[in-house]
Amino acid sequence: VIPATIDYEGNTYTVNRIVSGAFADISTITSVELPATANLTIDTSVFSGTSITSLTLKAPMNLSPSAFQSMKLLETVTIADGQQSIPSSLFAYCSKLHTVNLPNTIKQIGKQAFLSCTNLVTFAIPYQVKVIDVATFMNCTALTDISYMNENGDSTKINNTITAINENAFTGCRRLSSFTMPNTLTYIGRSAFKGCVYLTRVILSKCF
C-alpha cells in the first residue's frame, strides 16, 4: 500500500512521486494500492518484474512513458475519470493484459502504448482520441475487435473524431478480422495493418 502521506520525525510528507524502478523486479509483490492523489507522478518501470495482476488509478496522474511496461502478470487495468493521456509504451510488454477500462476523458494514446500485449482481445477507443499512433497495438496478436466510445461512453462501431491511423498502428494484429474506418479519417500510415492475415472485412465510412 502506497499512502497519500507519510509521517516521519514529527513531520507529515505528501507522497507526490514514485521514482523509476522503485519496486522493479520484486516478484513477491502481488498487488498494489495507489493513493487517490491527483497529479501523483509515476516514473518509468516502477513495477516491472513484479507479480501484480490488477492496477487501478484512483485519480488522474502524471504518468511517464513506460511507467507500467513489462508488468508481465498484469491482467486488468482501470484508469480514473479525468485522465487525459496514455503515454508512449505505458503498457508495452504487459503480455497477460486482457482488460483495459479507460475513461472518455482520454484524448491521446501514445506510441507503442500497448505494444506486444499479446492477451488483449478487445479494445474501446475513447471518444476524444484523434490519432491511433505509431505501433500503438503492434504485435497484439490476440486482438480481434476494435470499437469506439461515443460521447456518452457507450461502445459503438461508428467514430467521427479520429483523423489518422499512423505507421504500424496494428502491425502484427493477426487475429483482427474486421475494421471500421472512422468517418473523419484522412490518413493511414505505412504498414498500418501489416501482418493482419485474417483481416477480411474493412468498412469505409466515406469515400477517400
Side-chain angles (χ1 to χ4, degrees):
V1 176
I2 298 175
T5 59
I6 293 175
D7 294 324
Y8 180 71
E9 294 185 345
N11 296 312
T12 298
Y13 299 92
T14 298
V15 176
N16 56 29
R17 186 170 195 164
I18 304 174
V19 299
S20 297
F23 302 98
D25 299 320
I26 305 176
S27 60
T28 51
I29 297 178
T30 58
S31 65
V32 61
E33 183 176 336
L34 295 169
T37 304
N39 300 318
L40 173 70
T41 296
I42 299 182
D43 286 344
T44 302
S45 301
V46 291
F47 299 116
S48 62
T50 64
S51 298
I52 295 168
T53 59
S54 180
L55 185 66
T56 299
L57 304 189
K58 299 177 180 178
M61 297 185 179
N62 295 322
L63 301 174
S64 300
S66 307
F68 303 124
Q69 76 169 5
S70 297
M71 295 178 68
K72 300 289 188 182
L73 298 182
L74 183 66
E75 296 179 0
T76 63
V77 168
T78 300
I79 306 292
D81 191 46
Q83 187 76 32
Q84 294 193 8
S85 69
I86 302 296
S88 299
S89 301
L90 186 65
F91 296 107
Y93 306 108
C94 293
S95 55
K96 292 285 183 74
L97 183 64
H98 58 74
T99 302
V100 180
N101 299 308
L102 297 181
N104 228 3
T105 53
I106 295 289
K107 296 180 179 179
Q108 185 260 345
I109 299 177
K111 300 175 182 178
Q112 301 182 342
F114 296 95
L115 174 67
S116 293
C117 291
T118 52
N119 264 333
L120 191 63
V121 176
T122 63
F123 194 92
I125 298 174
Y127 181 73
Q128 297 185 76
V129 171
K130 294 187 184 223
V131 175
I132 301 176
D133 218 332
V134 174
T136 296
F137 298 102
M138 186 173 183
N139 293 334
C140 290
T141 53
L143 189 65
T144 60
D145 183 64
I146 290 289
S147 60
Y148 310 100
M149 299 181 196
N150 62 20
E151 303 96 315
N152 301 317
D154 299 319
S155 181
T156 177
K157 288 294 182 181
I158 304 300
N159 176 273
N160 57 8
T161 58
I162 292 174
T163 59
I165 298 175
N166 282 348
E167 290 75 9
N168 299 111
F170 295 99
T171 290
C173 295
R174 56 197 201 86
R175 293 189 180 275
L176 191 65
S177 60
S178 67
F179 189 86
T180 302
M181 298 293 183
N183 292 332
T184 44
L185 192 66
T186 59
Y187 175 80
I188 300 175
R190 184 186 299 272
S191 300
F193 295 92
K194 181 180 180 180
C196 295
V197 294
Y198 289 106
L199 186 60
T200 58
R201 188 166 182 254
V202 175
I203 302 170
L204 302 177
S205 302
K206 68 172 185 177
C207 292
F208 285 84

